Amino acid sequence: TREIDGGLQTVALSLPAIVTTDLRLNEPRYASLPNIMKAKKKPLETLTPDALGVSLASTNKTLKVEAPAARSAGVKVKSVAELVEKLNNEAKVL
């Protein structure tokens, strides 16, 4: 269901699909003081990666590392006409 100028519109679509949302999707819930105090007393379960069956070993391999190619020196031109000529003939921009 999406909000339009005239009200709400219900849209049906087949998957896979891309769905976007905006900031008005939901209202944040703010915890009350009694609930904060209750949450402090609850036990916090800590799991290890081994207990979840997850490996921490990296699966990425670095094949090659190279420095980027060095830039060539720039060219100074003496006039606008020379600049336009170089852009037109050498760089083929104009």
Side-chain angles (χ1 to χ4, degrees):
T1 304
R2 68 180 183 171
E3 187 177 331
I4 58 172
D5 291 337
L8 298 175
Q9 178 184 22
T10 302
V11 180
L13 52 103
S14 59
L15 297 178
I18 296 175
V19 180
T20 60
T21 62
D22 71 1
L23 298 174
R24 297 172 294 187
L25 179 65
N26 61 354
E27 293 292 324
R29 299 182 308 179
Y30 298 104
S32 63
L33 184 60
N35 287 338
I36 293 172
M37 299 308 288
K38 288 177 190 175
K40 285 183 178 180
K41 295 177 184 174
K42 292 192 177 188
L44 183 62
E45 183 182 357
T46 304
L47 299 173
T48 63
D50 293 333
L52 296 173
V54 177
S55 172
L56 295 179
S58 176
T59 57
N60 296 333
K61 293 181 182 179
T62 303
L63 300 177
K64 189 178 190 181
V65 177
E66 288 184 3
R71 291 183 59 181
S72 60
V75 177
K76 289 187 179 182
V77 292
K78 296 184 185 204
S79 67
V80 174
E82 187 180 352
L83 173 63
V84 171
E85 178 197 341
K86 286 191 178 285
L87 287 174
N88 202 3
N89 296 333
E90 293 178 21
K92 306 264 192 255
V93 178
L94 299 177

